[in-house]
Amino acid sequence: MQAEVVVIGGGHAGVEAALASARLNKKTIMLCLDFGTVSLMPCNPSIGGTAKGHLVREIDALGGEMGLAADKALLQIKMLNSAKGPAVFSLRGQEDKKTYHEIMLDVVRNQRGLEVLDDEAVEILAEDGKVSAVVLKSGEKIDCEAIVLAAGVYLNGAIIIGDYVKSSGPSGFAPATYLSDSLKKLGVPLRRFKTGTPARIYRDSLDFSKMEIQKGEDVDRFSFMSPHSTFEEEPCYLTYTNERTHKIILDNIERSPLYNGTIKSVGPRYCPSIETKIVRFQDKERHQIFVEPEGLHSDEMYVQGMSTSLPHDVQEAMYRTLPGFENCRFAKYGYAIEYDCIDSLSMYPSLESKVVEGLFSAGQINGSSGYEEAAAQGLVAGINAARKVDGKPPLVLGRDQAYIGVLIDDLVTKGTNEPYRMMTARAEHRIMLRQDNADMRLTPIGHEIGLASDARYARMRAKQKDIERIIEFSVAPLQKAQIAPLFERIGEILPDKAVTFGDVCRRPLASACDVKEFLPFEVDDETLNAAVVQLKYEGYLKKEEAAVKEQKRLEDKLIPKDFDYSAVKALRIEAREKLAEIKPLNLGQASRISGVSPADVAVLIVALKTRS
């Protein structure tokens, strides 16, 4: 059997990688342990969220699939952080997880140039330090030129509930038990991480009248190409833990695998178990618990905020203390899962291994957490695997270009000692990296490399021209009589001096909807909103652009791959060791490495000049 690119894994990372590779005209084979694992949502039934919504929009802008599928499987959508600035607005969609899986499975099965195989990869073969083939459990061998490793949490996966430990992948699917040994033989450094999930409760056993209903909003879709269609909305619900919940957990804390030594690996700091929350915040009287439907016709409700690996009897007791859960019946119990993953410092910014040429990796195997982080890496890894086959330079997005760039740069430059989660605070240029302009930032790049379609590019260009038209009109004066009703409505004093359309847009309380009546031409709401945000942030954006230009000077100063840091005696020992380990591509990346000071960078600049 032969392929140009082999993708190992069919989760969110694997699907985006396989689709990207095939759409870039590479003969691609995607391996998955079971067709049921394709784009599986083993944890929360949602797409997006704070910062994650940005990633989905960027995946979509580049020509990826996640946003399109998420829009088709929606149960509810809302904009998070809407009380804050537009830079951190983040879409979050409640999804029908079965429908989402079926949509993605249909897409990969019908993608030209992509073959999907239900088989397990047990060994990666390499010749002269470069990948050459993948050996399957069935005994077959697939010769290839590039591999994308997107095995998620399946490598030596182990489910843990109380004293019960079982070799397993998530949701009861089989683990991958051979590939870790193959990676170790190749010299790829591995580590052990942990994540977890809450119980699923039968819908008809809950009393929703004791909970607070949480409805969605009529807001944007994830994909710039999706129509604003209607869907049958399902509500979510909010309840809280209480003193009884906390007492049951603390009384049984010695039975928790997290606290009795059964689990030794590191879990996600920003998505802790309920046990960890109760122990860490013992002065807090209650914690929010969101109850979310897993599907339009699903009997199961997902209990967000109650991730646990406590024994079954403790789970039953503590869940039944929640308002509305008094008579709850369990469809599935919560569990923790440990798994092998790669040390992300062993990768280049292209997501190619520094150890084995042609081996790319993406998703939770890189030490990240979340469907969106996985899909973003998968898209980049798939693109770069295809470009590797073609002998083209890799796509590397900068921290000033995309949240995807921030995500990957953090992983390969700073590394992570826990499952990495994307947050808006991680992006220093977040005013530039908004959801509303993801298409204008990235669709030209996606179109140039051949992934974003002509239709997508044309839509982006039309939006761009309309925004330019609005910005040009921003200097047009408005009459006091025109704006008086608006100023009264938003509670602002009518100014004495002449006011332009741009001045009105910059008013903190004036929205795109408020100023639409003053435009002498028609534009859609999405375009107008993007233009108004641009006008509001105009001064900040100029400062950001100046900062980016300054940083670009360092990014443009490349460091040869064979540069000998040990020979630069003026560098501190820690800096020498860190630089030699990570092998930064340029001075910009070198400056972001933990343990490398500005003084070290100055020494490095001199050393590079001397060498040249």
Side-chain angles (χ1 to χ4, degrees):
M1 203 182 302
Q2 196 160 14
E4 290 172 291
V5 176
V6 174
V7 177
I8 300 173
H12 302 281
V15 163
E16 293 291 352
L19 290 173
S21 173
R23 288 168 178 173
L24 292 175
N25 301 313
K26 297 293 153 287
K27 183 180 178 183
T28 306
I29 293 176
M30 185 178 87
L31 303 171
C32 56
L33 294 168
D34 187 298
F35 288 146
T37 66
V38 173
S39 291
L40 173 70
M41 291 183 175
C43 198
N44 55 304
S46 65
I47 295 291
T50 303
K52 293 168 178 280
H54 290 71
L55 290 174
V56 181
R57 275 288 179 91
E58 291 179 352
I59 292 164
D60 181 70
L62 285 166
E65 197 68 27
M66 177 173 263
L68 289 164
D71 286 342
K72 292 173 185 173
L74 278 175
L75 294 175
Q76 184 189 110
I77 191 166
K78 60 174 61 177
M79 189 73 77
L80 304 186
N81 296 335
S82 55
K84 300 179 182 179
V88 296
F89 287 3
S90 298
L91 280 172
R92 183 182 189 275
Q94 206 64 42
E95 304 290 327
D96 186 314
K97 62 192 298 182
K98 183 173 182 286
T99 301
Y100 185 88
H101 154 73
E102 289 171 347
I103 289 168
M104 281 299 206
L105 182 59
D106 187 60
V107 170
V108 295
R109 279 177 166 166
N110 288 286
Q111 174 61 49
R112 184 173 57 85
L114 173 60
E115 184 178 352
V116 185
L117 286 182
D118 182 351
D119 208 333
E120 180 181 348
V122 297
E123 187 177 8
I124 292 171
L125 302 181
E127 294 178 6
D128 300 321
K130 184 177 180 180
V131 298
S132 59
V134 175
V135 179
L136 306 182
K137 194 173 184 180
S138 62
E140 283 199 78
K141 186 177 79 168
I142 307 174
D143 295 316
C144 59
E145 298 174 59
I147 295 168
V148 178
L149 185 57
V153 300
Y154 288 85
L155 288 191
N156 283 332
I159 295 290
I160 305 166
I161 308 171
D163 296 328
Y164 174 74
V165 180
K166 177 188 176 184
S167 177
S168 175
S171 298
F173 286 103
T177 55
Y178 299 96
L179 202 53
S180 289
D181 288 340
S182 175
L183 291 170
K184 288 175 186 174
K185 286 178 184 176
L186 290 170
V188 177
L190 297 183
R191 61 208 312 193
R192 195 90 169 144
F193 274 179
K194 165 260 171 189
T195 188
T197 190
R200 279 28 166 218
I201 303 298
Y202 283 113
R203 187 193 295 249
D204 63 4
S205 70
L206 296 173
D207 184 352
F208 296 112
S209 67
K210 295 182 179 180
M211 309 178 201
E212 299 171 27
I213 193 167
Q214 305 285 301
K215 294 184 178 180
E217 302 164 2
D218 184 22
V219 293
D220 293 335
R221 298 296 182 260
F222 285 110
S223 175
F224 293 100
M225 301 299 284
S226 291
H228 195 85
S229 59
T230 57
F231 56 91
E232 190 173 344
E233 182 175 306
E234 278 282 294
C236 298
Y237 297 88
L238 174 63
T239 188
Y240 296 90
T241 63
N242 52 57
E243 189 178 343
R244 288 192 302 135
T245 320
H246 301 184
K247 185 177 187 308
I248 289 170
I249 291 170
L250 292 174
D251 286 349
N252 290 276
I253 202 66
E254 76 284 351
R255 299 180 66 193
S256 167
L258 289 167
Y259 290 91
N260 65 17
T262 303
I263 292 176
K264 297 180 175 63
S265 52
V266 183
R269 178 191 313 223
Y270 299 104
C271 189
S273 69
I274 189 64
E275 302 97 286
T276 300
K277 284 193 278 191
I278 301 307
V279 170
R280 190 181 295 170
F281 307 108
Q282 291 196 31
D283 58 336
K284 194 166 183 178
E285 293 182 0
R286 64 179 191 171
H287 294 270
Q288 285 186 330
I289 304 297
F290 289 94
V291 186
E292 304 169 342
E294 295 229 316
L296 187 61
H297 304 292
S298 173
D299 296 327
E300 298 173 18
M301 301 294 283
Y302 177 86
V303 191
Q304 188 194 138
M306 286 286 278
S307 173
T308 183
S309 55
L310 281 162
H312 289 182
D313 62 309
V314 182
Q315 290 192 38
E316 290 174 4
M318 72 183 191
Y319 270 81
R320 287 171 183 153
T321 64
L322 304 178
F325 279 70
E326 292 83 358
N327 301 302
C328 72
R329 291 183 294 110
F330 284 67
K332 297 171 187 171
Y333 289 88
Y335 62 83
I337 181 168
E338 287 188 313
Y339 54 95
D340 291 344
C341 58
I342 291 170
D343 183 345
S344 59
L345 292 178
S346 68
M347 302 182 299
Y348 291 115
S350 62
L351 296 180
E352 185 178 15
S353 171
K354 295 174 182 175
V355 179
V356 186
E357 187 180 350
L359 177 62
F360 296 82
S361 56
Q364 285 186 267
I365 195 168
N366 284 345
S368 64
S369 68
Y371 311 145
E372 303 81 5
E373 289 90 339
Q377 293 171 67
L379 182 66
V380 172
I383 289 169
N384 287 333
R387 292 177 72 82
K388 181 81 176 181
V389 172
D390 286 337
K392 295 178 180 178
L395 169 70
V396 177
L397 296 170
R399 296 180 71 92
D400 61 308
Q401 289 179 292
Y403 270 78
I404 297 174
V406 175
L407 162 66
I408 294 174
D409 185 66
D410 278 354
L411 287 171
V412 305
T413 302
K414 301 174 182 178
T416 183
N417 292 319
E418 62 191 34
Y420 177 98
R421 178 179 176 179
M422 191 72 243
M423 295 180 291
T424 53
R426 296 190 192 274
E428 62 270 36
H429 302 300
R430 56 186 171 275
I431 293 176
M432 299 170 65
L433 308 180
R434 306 183 309 276
Q435 283 189 144
D436 63 82
N437 68 1
D439 53 343
M440 291 181 288
R441 287 186 281 116
L442 298 176
T443 295
I445 296 172
H447 187 256
E448 184 182 351
I449 63 177
L451 197 57
S453 66
D454 290 342
R456 180 182 288 277
Y457 183 72
R459 180 172 289 193
M460 182 278 302
R461 286 290 295 139
K463 175 182 172 181
Q464 194 173 46
K465 287 177 181 177
D466 279 342
I467 289 175
E468 290 168 358
R469 193 179 175 194
I470 294 167
I471 300 299
E472 286 174 8
F473 180 73
S474 67
V475 298
L478 297 177
Q479 300 298 318
K480 281 189 177 182
Q482 283 179 281
I483 63 172
L486 168 60
F487 274 63
E488 183 178 353
R489 190 166 68 247
I490 64 176
E492 293 207 23
I493 299 171
L494 197 64
D496 294 328
K497 63 177 183 178
V499 175
T500 66
F501 176 76
D503 292 332
V504 176
C505 289
R506 293 184 191 98
R507 295 278 169 165
L509 298 177
S511 67
C513 182
D514 292 326
V515 302
K516 190 171 186 177
E517 62 179 295
F518 305 130
L519 281 178
F521 47 84
E522 288 290 321
V523 293
D524 63 74
D525 292 343
E526 179 189 311
T527 301
L528 177 58
N529 180 66
V532 170
V533 170
Q534 191 170 322
L535 287 166
K536 284 184 187 293
Y537 278 148
E538 195 171 40
Y540 296 105
L541 286 169
K542 286 177 181 177
K543 290 180 181 178
E544 283 288 293
E545 286 163 7
V548 168
K549 282 181 182 177
E550 184 65 26
Q551 181 66 22
K552 193 85 168 76
R553 289 172 53 244
L554 290 177
E555 302 291 339
D556 288 341
K557 295 184 186 296
L558 302 180
I559 302 175
K561 282 188 177 181
D562 62 348
F563 189 81
D564 184 7
Y565 296 100
S566 64
V568 186
K569 301 304 179 186
L571 282 172
R572 293 176 307 111
I573 293 174
E574 182 187 8
R576 273 184 249 161
E577 291 174 350
K578 289 287 182 70
L579 289 163
E581 177 190 7
I582 295 171
K583 297 183 178 64
L585 300 182
N586 53 58
L587 283 173
Q589 188 185 0
S591 70
R592 294 190 294 274
I593 296 173
S594 175
V596 176
S597 69
D600 294 320
V601 175
V603 169
L604 198 52
I605 290 172
V606 174
L608 288 168
K609 284 181 180 177
T610 303
R611 171 176 166 139
S612 63

